Amino acid sequence: MGRPWGLQPPGRRPYAAAHQPTRTTDVTSAATQGDRQPLNAAVLLGVLGIVYGDIGTSPLYAMRAALLHFSSDGLERWEILGILSLIIWSLIIVVTVKYVWLVMRADNKGEGGILALMALAQRAAITERGRWTIALVGIAGAALFFGDGVITPAISVLSAVEGLKVISPAFEGAVVPVSLAVLLGLFLVQYRGTGSMGAIFGPITVLWFGVIGLLGLIEVVREPEVLVALSPHYAVRFALAYHLAAFIALGSVVLAVTGAEALYADMGHFGRRPIQVAWVAFVLPALALNYLGQGALMLSDRSALENPFYLLAPEWLRLPLVILATAATIIASQAMISGAYSIARQCVQLGFLPRLVVRHTSETEEGQIYMPQVNFALLMGVVVLVVAFRNSDSLAAAYGLAVTGTFLATSTLAGLVFRRKFGWSLPLVIAVFTPLFLLDMAFFISNVLKIPDGGWVPLLLGGAIFAMMLTWHRGRDLLFSRFRQDSLPLKSFLARLPQSRTVRVPGIAVFMTSQADYVPSALLHNLKHNKVLHERVLFVTVNNEDVPQVTDRRRVEELAPGIHRVSLCYGFQESPNIPRELEGLREVGVDYEPMQASYFLGRETVVASAIPKMARWQQWLFGIMSRNSVPATEFFRIPSDRVVELGVRVAI
């Protein structure tokens, strides 16, 4: 049970770093990183197909979900305009101002996302306690992202297929089966990778935004009075008139901005400028026109509340629109699924989750991966939600909490980064980020009120994942501490080696170790039982850095004749490949022959110590996660026929 040695905690420097120049990991604004991406039609198509799928399908359910709160006694004109104004200005403030103009300036070597932002903020922390507090915020944001990843496919596909009920009430019984069939097909083809599907994502999304914008424009032309909702006056008036009810309505209004986090998370794929241009020039106008069109339709016909999105279309267009909407929601779901893979891999590399299977689906793109364990967990969660909630209105109550929780985490970390890394004055940071934080807090609290109606779902999912991540991180720290306590210092071992008369046998022994300054237990057990040491010995340590990718990957130090220490550094978006890196040792003068190498790994069995340092439930959870961790041979891509594993009991 457990994890063979060899994975270093994130952020810890390898031993050789003390003897070589330190690699700097500067914060580089998107002005210098993201803007290098060329701006052309192909890039913009990719942005539309990948980045904006989630937020682009929000018109399917956001407007209706918000208006339902006030429909019991009939909808007044000013109520419709107030809700519409809240949606439009949420798009402007949350997406345009916060993410497109501000947060996207903070990139980690060109990469975005909650964990990349957490790494930046940790560098700005002065104390270890501050770093750990920031880590908790980042972990919470990542955990809620996974909860969002389960709900997004369910609500998106359900809301699209519900258009069948608008075509004919006879189709009502088919909504859930058709939704399940679409989702099952989507998850079952994930192993093929997104490359083959990505070629059609962009054009379909362009068609989607074009159609929904045009449908909205036609209705706005018929009812131009709706344009007054562009004034924030109506949003303010609505909030002042309804007080608590308006606050509750925010829980549904936020559905219009779900997917905003994808703008930042996908920045590493496309750069800042293409994402900004696509949003300002195409996506925002299309979304605004569609919401305005739904509002205009509601002003002229209150019965359109049944499904204002589909009722915008003439009857002959509704079936094609259902098909197009289903395709768009599949794309939105695909973007969320791919994002879950990326976040999961980052969590593994940063030491917050056990090793998981990572399969690369592209020979050229490092970021195109498939993680079967994550895929299966998402599929099970999505199926349960669709069967349990059965319609998008019920599921909408569960949707906002995960999104708004991530919004809060992003605002908190971004404020720290802009203060410490970008040198903004404290008054400027307070003036800019306090209103954004308060708005996010209002969205979050309004969704907390929906916990009894389904908001408990993302809270339960996020809480479970948060507990898993904390438990794994804590357990690993205790393991490393125990290893250092029980192990023999490497310097002492090397000093005594010439007098030990140890027999040296031909071949190369590669010892994977997480503690570069201590003798691996696998080596001590090999000496104890086999009484030999190979002529050439490599101590290999894998270090995970808090940057997306590492250029200066390999560091080599000769400790004694025939004995070398090798430190391999990987970013949180990279997958280790130990044999490939070791083959490059000949470039630095180390005699290495792959066919002569044997890999020695220590496989620890974790047991409770006399005075346990973790709660019993955490020990139980850590044990389960350890037993289900992917073997080191698969994770590090080590040939299984060249591995020797030696068991070790570790008490924590």
Side-chain angles (χ1 to χ4, degrees), residues 27 132 342 362 507 536:
V27 175
W132 179 239
S342 298
S362 171
R536 281 169 286 171

Side-chain angles (χ1 to χ4, degrees), residues 485-563:
Q485 179 181 338
D486 296 342
S487 298
L488 176 67
L490 187 57
K491 287 184 178 180
S492 301
F493 172 79
L494 294 174
R496 289 185 288 185
L497 186 60
Q499 293 80 32
S500 66
R501 299 181 181 179
T502 301
V503 177
R504 306 292 288 267
V505 296
I508 302 173
V510 179
F511 291 95
M512 303 295 296
T513 174
S514 60
Q515 306 297 314
D517 292 339
Y518 294 88
V519 181
S521 65
L523 186 148
L524 296 177
H525 281 266
N526 186 50
L527 283 176
K528 178 180 178 181
H529 296 288
N530 298 321
K531 309 294 193 296
V532 297
L533 186 66
H534 288 70
E535 286 181 341
R536 281 169 286 171
V537 176
L538 299 177
F539 297 120
V540 178
T541 300
V542 175
N543 301 283
N544 292 314
E545 301 289 341
D546 59 357
V547 294
Q549 297 177 341
V550 173
T551 53
D552 181 17
R553 188 180 312 286
R554 189 189 311 116
R555 292 172 180 173
V556 183
E557 179 186 5
E558 185 173 14
L559 304 176
I563 300 178

Side-chain angles (χ1 to χ4, degrees), residues 3-6 355 510-513 520-523 540 598-604 631-634 636 638 642-648:
R3 173 197 52 79
W5 294 12
R355 289 189 305 269
V510 179
F511 291 95
M512 303 295 296
T513 174
S521 65
L523 186 148
V540 178
S598 297
Y599 293 82
F600 289 82
L601 307 176
R603 177 169 289 274
E604 68 272 3
T633 51
E634 183 173 350
F636 293 126
I638 299 172
R642 309 196 67 83
V643 173
V644 178
E645 289 191 343
L646 300 170
V648 183

Side-chain angles (χ1 to χ4, degrees), residues 93 300 528:
I93 296 174
S300 60
K528 178 180 178 181

Side-chain angles (χ1 to χ4, degrees), residues 397-398 401 444-459:
L401 198 60
F444 181 76
I445 296 176
S446 66
N447 278 275
V448 169
L449 299 176
K450 299 192 299 184
I451 287 178
D453 300 321
W456 56 269
V457 173
L459 201 61

Side-chain angles (χ1 to χ4, degrees), residues 33-193:
Q33 287 283 351
D35 291 351
R36 293 175 185 169
Q37 178 74 31
L39 186 63
N40 53 47
V43 173
L44 290 176
L45 274 177
V47 168
L48 292 171
I50 301 299
V51 177
Y52 291 112
D54 189 5
I55 197 170
T57 55
S58 295
L60 283 164
Y61 47 82
M63 184 76 174
R64 181 173 186 272
L67 288 173
L68 280 175
H69 292 288
F70 309 94
S71 61
S72 58
D73 56 349
L75 287 168
E76 299 291 337
R77 170 184 174 276
W78 67 276
E79 292 174 330
I80 297 171
L81 293 176
I83 289 289
L84 184 58
S85 185
L86 283 172
I87 289 176
I88 297 296
W89 281 96
S90 294
L91 289 170
I92 293 173
I93 296 174
V94 174
V95 184
T96 308
V97 175
K98 176 183 171 181
Y99 279 97
V100 174
W101 286 356
L102 287 174
V103 176
M104 289 184 67
R105 294 184 58 195
D107 68 293
N108 191 341
K109 293 290 186 177
E111 297 291 338
I114 187 69
L115 292 180
L117 189 63
M118 179 196 76
L120 288 180
Q122 281 188 311
R123 294 182 207 159
I126 300 174
T127 64
E128 188 62 31
R129 176 174 293 183
R131 285 177 55 84
W132 179 239
T133 302
I134 291 170
L136 289 178
V137 176
I139 294 171
L144 289 172
F145 180 88
F146 285 116
D148 188 17
V150 174
I151 299 175
T152 294
I155 190 174
S156 298
V157 173
L158 266 176
S159 60
V161 178
E162 282 172 351
L164 293 173
K165 295 190 297 184
V166 178
I167 297 172
S168 171
F171 288 126
E172 183 170 359
V175 170
V176 172
V178 171
S179 299
L180 288 174
V182 170
L183 289 166
L184 187 62
L186 174 63
F187 280 96
L188 288 180
V189 300
Q190 289 302 310
Y191 74 96
R192 300 175 62 90

Side-chain angles (χ1 to χ4, degrees), residues 71-412:
S71 61
S72 58
D73 56 349
L75 287 168
E76 299 291 337
R77 170 184 174 276
W78 67 276
E79 292 174 330
I80 297 171
L81 293 176
I83 289 289
L84 184 58
S85 185
L86 283 172
I87 289 176
I88 297 296
W89 281 96
S90 294
L91 289 170
I92 293 173
I93 296 174
V94 174
V95 184
T96 308
V97 175
K98 176 183 171 181
Y99 279 97
V100 174
W101 286 356
L102 287 174
V103 176
M104 289 184 67
R105 294 184 58 195
D107 68 293
N108 191 341
K109 293 290 186 177
E111 297 291 338
I114 187 69
L115 292 180
L117 189 63
M118 179 196 76
L120 288 180
Q122 281 188 311
R123 294 182 207 159
I126 300 174
T127 64
E128 188 62 31
R129 176 174 293 183
R131 285 177 55 84
W132 179 239
T133 302
I134 291 170
L136 289 178
V137 176
I139 294 171
L144 289 172
F145 180 88
F146 285 116
D148 188 17
V150 174
I151 299 175
T152 294
I155 190 174
S156 298
V157 173
L158 266 176
S159 60
V161 178
E162 282 172 351
L164 293 173
K165 295 190 297 184
V166 178
I167 297 172
S168 171
F171 288 126
E172 183 170 359
V175 170
V176 172
V178 171
S179 299
L180 288 174
V182 170
L183 289 166
L184 187 62
L186 174 63
F187 280 96
L188 288 180
V189 300
Q190 289 302 310
Y191 74 96
R192 300 175 62 90
T194 58
S196 57
M197 296 180 284
I200 60 173
F201 280 4
I204 290 177
T205 310
V206 170
L207 178 62
W208 167 256
F209 281 119
V211 169
I212 67 172
L214 180 60
L215 291 175
L217 178 62
I218 292 172
E219 200 63 38
V220 169
V221 171
R222 293 175 180 169
E223 194 78 30
E225 179 192 6
V226 75
L227 291 174
V228 298
L230 294 174
S231 169
H233 162 76
Y234 285 90
V236 174
R237 178 189 173 189
F238 181 85
L240 293 177
Y242 268 115
H243 302 295
L244 180 60
F247 187 72
I248 295 173
L250 284 178
S252 298
V253 169
V254 76
L255 298 176
V257 295
T258 56
E261 189 73 19
L263 279 69
Y264 182 48
D266 290 325
M267 183 168 60
H269 297 287
F270 303 101
R272 177 169 67 117
R273 189 160 172 257
I275 293 176
Q276 288 179 317
V277 170
W279 171 256
V280 174
F282 191 56
V283 178
L284 178 59
L287 291 175
L289 281 173
N290 190 265
Y291 284 120
L292 288 168
Q294 291 187 46
L297 179 62
M298 289 298 304
L299 289 176
S300 60
D301 181 10
R302 301 296 194 273
S303 66
L305 184 61
E306 176 191 355
N307 198 315
F309 175 82
Y310 281 110
L311 290 174
L312 277 177
E315 189 171 346
W316 61 268
L317 185 60
R318 287 172 190 167
L319 181 57
L321 187 59
V322 169
I323 297 173
L324 179 60
T326 303
T329 55
I330 289 174
I331 293 172
S333 302
Q334 177 62 58
M336 183 58 67
I337 294 168
S338 300
Y341 295 160
S342 298
I343 294 293
R345 181 169 71 165
Q346 291 179 24
C347 289
V348 172
Q349 293 294 75
L350 291 173
F352 295 118
L353 284 178
R355 289 189 305 269
L356 301 171
V357 176
V358 179
R359 295 176 184 167
H360 292 262
T361 59
S362 171
E363 296 181 356
T364 58
E365 296 295 331
E366 170 72 20
Q368 291 189 18
I369 59 175
Y370 167 63
M371 302 182 71
Q373 294 146 306
V374 176
N375 190 69
F376 179 77
L378 290 176
L379 174 59
M380 291 298 99
V382 168
V383 169
V384 168
L385 288 182
V386 171
V387 173
F389 286 87
R390 305 191 69 81
N391 63 75
S392 60
D393 290 336
S394 299
L395 202 51
Y399 196 19
L401 198 60
V403 176
T404 54
T406 306
F407 284 175
L408 272 176
T410 299
S411 294
T412 302

